[in-house]
Amino acid sequence: MLYPQMNEKRFLTSLDGIWNFCFGSEILEEKYVMKPLENPEKLYVPASYNDQKADIRFRDHYGYAYYQTYFSIPNGLRKNRIVLRFGAVTHNCVVYLNGNKIGEHTGGFLPFEMELDESVLEEKNLLSVAVDNRVDFSTLPVGNESKRAMFGDSLPNFDSVNRTNIKNKNYPNFDFFNYCGINRSVKLYTTAKDYINDIYIDTKIDGANAVVKVEAEFIGAGKAAVSILDDKGNEIVSDKNINEEIVIENAKLWQPGKAYLYTAKITFNEDCYYQKFGVREVAVKDNQFLINGKPFYFKGFGKHEDSEIRGRGIDEALNVKDISLMKWMCANSFRTSHYPYSEEMLNLCDEEGIVVIAETPAVGLNFPNVEGELLEKYNKRTAHHRQVIQDMIARDKNRPSIVMWSLANEPDTAGTPHKALDYFEPLYHLAHQCDPQSRPVTVVVCNNDYIKDKVAPFVDVICVNRYYGWYIFAGDLDAASQAMDIEMQYFSQFNKPLMITEYGADTVAGVHNAVPNMFSEEFQVEYYDAMNTVLDKYKFVVGEQTWNFADFQTIQGVMRVDGNKKGIFTRDRRPKLSAHYFKNRWTKIPDFDYKK
Ligand code: BDP
């Protein structure tokens, strides 16, 4: 799916701003979508609704919420194809225009769009969006069915309270706040009636040159042409055909920290699109991760899209700040844990040379034997998982910043190892097939009984989340180091690269101690130093990504003091001691050839 753009053939505008809003129940009610809301609340779009008001209903809502706004299309544009595009609505939604249903979407982290034709458009249009925030066994991320909150009380004495007497609410099987609503921009754009629907770009390095293949999908018949522009907008190759091999002489590579972007300009009848791309290759060879043929070392973070007030809503200034803090620390990468991030953040990574592992929202997966209603939900979830893999890759396939796809975070791959492998094997092949660049594919695992796990050694890069010294051997860094060492020895047999995609310790900013105790800033530093000493011993360990870049909000619970505090930065992006530790460490670790 192409990112919307304004150019000489396409018009683009946004519907972002203050919208009308009200809460509904667990069933979709027509009265909130057919006509203007009565006494609506005012709310900003795009942003999660949860933290926008000093009102507990917003934080704890369960079920549908309704958004409305008005727009008009200038008469001069009405002869074009008009498209309404949502960057992300979390989690499921149904869209109405002037009381007519015009679309719906499942899943909260990817864009979807719909054409608005003359049969639905009026002079002044009422746009209504019904948003459902419920997570359960059928959704990604996965919700618990047992009506017990994560970290909740599981004593049988309290069963009746847990099961019957409390009002319905979300029970996430994941450790981040279930921020919901219209989280990314709502845009309107036009194209000609015959148009460019999609573009696929692959590049190969051939000595000093690059060989570029541009494929495209068109709606309608006509003549198409491709030209290539350099990063200043100068045309360096002109008037080529789609699918024709294009050679860029003395090509500039897209490198981590040194991004260089070319643009493929595609014209088709009265339509035109400018697709940026980079010349870069990714490969896994033996136990190395190669970018442009050289062994790369990942230095960076697992992140979240999370901030005060906006919740999971897009904040582009924050994105700029985060990338700048990464550069300040000499980090080179992050994982979009635990869902696909906004296109705007990935655009920035393409421009800034930040390396990205892109993850689906498949977090909280297990593979129990289920029947009846749960089996139906399980099958629905599996189908949805396939769909999000396809949609995520369709959205992000041309991005040079993305070097690997993560199909899931911490599925229970050791509890039912054969079932898990049967589940992931087809998804692994699907991801490779969907991607014109066939990037490496991984599943991020965290199994205490890791020897049973068949998925981790099956995928292209072994990605492990590990909390020795925190959840296991809490506070005992000696035992933690030994456990980490034993695990690394185990994984070294597979002749594949491994990276630590999460490790960390909750740290309350401002808590200091001469003797490093858990929760203090000193402990976080000692913890990372102990773990890194082990990781540095192993050549096949090709990266370290801390958990987390910044403190973030989660469901309430005794394990979380106003959220998860494993950030290297606080939620408002102030460095903890560990930020300085990593800045010092990563300044000395090169992007390439760290472990010769
Ligand atoms: C890991 C999860 C991550 C959590 C983290 C933690 O992947 O989402 O936030 O643990 O407990 O298991 O801090």
Side-chain angles (χ1 to χ4, degrees):
M1 181 187 271
L2 298 178
Y3 184 66
Q5 68 178 214
M6 177 104 111
N7 63 35
E8 62 267 37
K9 302 288 187 190
R10 293 181 171 213
F11 180 77
L12 169 67
T13 189
S14 120
L15 299 183
D16 297 351
I18 301 294
W19 287 41
N20 291 334
F21 179 88
C22 80
F23 288 120
S25 64
E26 287 168 49
I27 47 168
L28 201 152
E29 289 163 275
E30 291 211 322
K31 64 180 179 197
Y32 297 125
V33 295
M34 307 302 278
K35 52 182 185 11
L37 298 174
E38 281 166 28
N39 304 316
E41 305 264 2
K42 298 287 169 189
L43 218 66
Y44 183 69
V45 169
S48 306
Y49 54 70
N50 311 80
D51 287 352
Q52 285 197 51
K53 304 237 172 179
D55 183 339
I56 199 167
R57 289 177 308 142
F58 283 76
R59 194 195 64 192
D60 288 350
H61 181 65
Y62 178 83
Y64 281 94
Y66 299 88
Y67 286 80
Q68 286 190 343
T69 193
Y70 293 93
F71 68 88
S72 299
I73 305 278
N75 291 338
L77 292 176
R78 295 263 297 244
K79 63 180 188 314
N80 295 290
R81 171 177 168 258
I82 294 164
V83 184
L84 174 64
R85 188 187 201 267
F86 292 84
V89 180
T90 318
H91 295 284
N92 298 335
C93 73
V94 191
V95 182
Y96 300 80
L97 195 68
N98 303 319
N100 301 303
K101 179 173 162 186
I102 54 167
E104 61 191 311
H105 188 255
T106 304
F109 307 92
L110 286 167
F112 55 97
E113 54 183 38
M114 55 215 72
E115 284 183 30
L116 308 181
D117 61 25
E118 288 300 319
S119 68
V120 287
L121 276 173
E122 290 170 14
E123 209 149 273
K124 183 178 178 197
N125 298 285
L126 171 66
L127 175 62
S128 308
V129 186
V131 184
D132 184 359
N133 78 344
R134 286 170 296 175
V135 290
D136 65 13
F137 200 58
S138 72
T139 60
L140 295 177
V142 183
N144 278 313
E145 294 282 331
S146 71
K147 283 202 167 190
R148 283 188 183 127
M150 191 185 188
F151 315 125
D153 207 313
S154 56
L155 286 175
N157 294 353
F158 301 120
D159 252 19
S160 64
V161 181
N162 271 324
R163 291 187 189 284
T164 52
N165 295 339
I166 45 174
K167 69 177 172 83
N168 284 343
K169 56 181 160 209
N170 278 306
Y171 293 95
N173 195 24
F174 48 90
D175 181 33
F176 46 94
F177 192 88
N178 187 36
Y179 280 119
C180 287
I182 303 182
N183 275 332
R184 297 182 193 152
S185 282
V186 185
K187 294 183 173 167
L188 272 170
Y189 70 91
T190 69
T191 69
K193 297 271 183 197
D194 289 351
Y195 62 97
I196 304 159
N197 193 41
D198 211 348
I199 296 166
Y200 310 81
I201 299 186
D202 191 18
T203 60
K204 292 272 169 297
I205 301 169
D206 182 13
N209 300 341
V211 180
V212 183
K213 205 164 139 207
V214 181
E215 289 180 55
E217 204 178 283
F218 303 108
I219 305 298
K223 186 167 159 33
V226 184
S227 54
I228 305 289
L229 317 179
D230 68 12
D231 70 340
K232 307 266 178 319
N234 303 315
E235 199 170 85
I236 51 167
V237 177
S238 47
D239 218 14
K240 296 284 180 182
N241 292 318
I242 294 290
N243 285 336
E244 190 178 336
E245 250 189 28
I246 299 173
V247 176
I248 302 178
E249 288 180 5
N250 293 316
K252 295 209 175 71
L253 301 183
W254 187 97
Q255 297 275 33
K258 281 187 239 103
Y260 187 95
L261 293 177
Y262 291 96
T263 299
K265 177 182 176 188
I266 291 118
T267 54
F268 172 68
N269 297 350
E270 280 306 300
D271 193 18
C272 152
Y273 193 87
Y274 294 79
Q275 176 64 55
K276 288 190 178 171
F277 68 95
V279 174
R280 74 103 190 76
E281 284 180 0
V282 183
V284 169
K285 196 160 164 261
D286 300 327
N287 55 18
Q288 295 183 322
F289 193 98
L290 306 178
I291 298 186
N292 300 332
K294 288 190 292 178
F296 178 70
Y297 192 78
F298 292 81
K299 305 178 278 180
F301 309 92
K303 274 185 107 283
H304 265 300
E305 290 187 318
D306 169 278
S307 66
E308 296 283 348
I309 303 165
R310 287 168 192 259
R312 192 140 292 115
I314 183 166
D315 183 337
E316 293 205 65
L318 188 73
N319 290 344
V320 169
K321 177 84 177 190
D322 285 1
I323 301 282
S324 104
L325 290 171
M326 286 182 205
K327 293 202 164 183
W328 173 74
M329 289 175 73
C330 232
N332 56 20
S333 61
F334 70 86
R335 172 171 61 121
T336 72
S337 41
H338 294 312
Y339 36 80
Y341 286 8
S342 71
E343 292 157 289
E344 290 76 9
M345 179 52 147
L346 297 170
N347 289 344
L348 199 59
C349 293
D350 287 341
E351 301 274 351
E352 294 270 12
I354 294 289
V355 170
V356 176
I357 299 169
E359 187 158 277
T360 73
V363 46
L365 291 182
N366 52 10
F367 310 94
N369 289 323
V370 283
E371 48 190 26
E373 197 200 334
L374 274 188
L375 180 62
E376 265 172 48
K377 288 186 170 178
Y378 181 87
N379 291 338
K380 192 172 159 200
R381 182 178 92 191
T382 306
H384 180 49
H385 199 173
R386 288 186 72 83
Q387 191 66 50
V388 289
I389 290 170
Q390 287 167 306
D391 292 352
M392 174 178 80
I393 297 176
R395 188 192 73 162
D396 293 332
K397 57 191 175 298
N398 294 323
R399 298 182 177 284
S401 57
I402 294 180
V403 299
M404 179 153 66
W405 309 109
S406 161
L407 302 182
N409 179 71
E410 297 190 0
D412 180 12
T413 43
T416 46
H418 291 285
K419 233 176 147 183
L421 187 62
D422 288 349
Y423 180 89
F424 277 108
E425 216 179 313
L427 297 182
Y428 166 90
H429 293 300
L430 175 71
H432 272 291
Q433 279 156 16
C434 293
D435 180 5
Q437 300 179 14
S438 194
R439 294 164 178 88
V441 173
T442 192
V443 172
V444 172
V445 298
C446 179
N447 292 300
N448 295 342
D449 214 352
Y450 50 82
I451 291 169
K452 291 203 177 125
D453 184 2
K454 298 195 175 318
V455 173
F458 166 76
V459 294
D460 298 322
V461 176
I462 302 171
C463 286
V464 175
N465 296 349
R466 259 303 155 217
Y467 291 93
Y468 297 130
W470 193 256
Y471 296 119
I472 301 177
F473 303 122
D476 183 344
L477 296 180
D478 181 34
S481 301
Q482 291 182 45
M484 188 64 123
D485 200 56
I486 292 167
E487 185 164 350
M488 291 306 109
Q489 280 172 33
Y490 170 75
F491 277 117
S492 65
Q493 67 182 292
F494 297 106
N495 197 33
K496 289 198 174 180
L498 175 147
M499 62 181 289
I500 297 293
T501 29
E502 284 184 29
Y503 58 146
D506 282 86
T507 304
V508 181
V511 172
H512 288 284
N513 211 320
V515 175
N517 269 355
M518 290 174 81
F519 294 99
S520 69
E521 296 198 31
E522 286 76 7
F523 181 83
Q524 195 182 29
V525 170
E526 294 285 321
Y527 162 87
Y528 276 121
D529 201 40
M531 293 303 110
N532 291 339
T533 304
V534 178
L535 301 179
D536 278 341
K537 281 172 51 184
Y538 293 94
K539 195 171 171 209
F540 81 109
V541 176
V542 299
E544 55 196 61
Q545 292 190 331
T546 73
W547 190 255
N548 187 285
F549 176 77
D551 295 345
F552 59 93
Q553 202 46 262
T554 62
I555 190 172
Q556 299 189 68
V558 291
M559 300 267 286
R560 297 289 177 254
V561 189
D562 188 27
N564 188 310
K565 291 283 187 278
K566 293 195 186 69
I568 300 296
F569 294 89
T570 59
R571 203 179 190 206
D572 62 353
R573 275 44 181 179
R574 287 169 194 268
K576 299 182 191 169
L577 218 52
S578 57
H580 297 282
Y581 162 79
F582 272 108
K583 177 174 164 51
N584 183 39
R585 173 177 164 80
W586 288 342
T587 307
K588 295 181 196 136
I589 296 180
D591 293 337
F592 292 105
D593 292 317
Y594 174 42
K595 293 178 177 173
K596 287 221 176 95

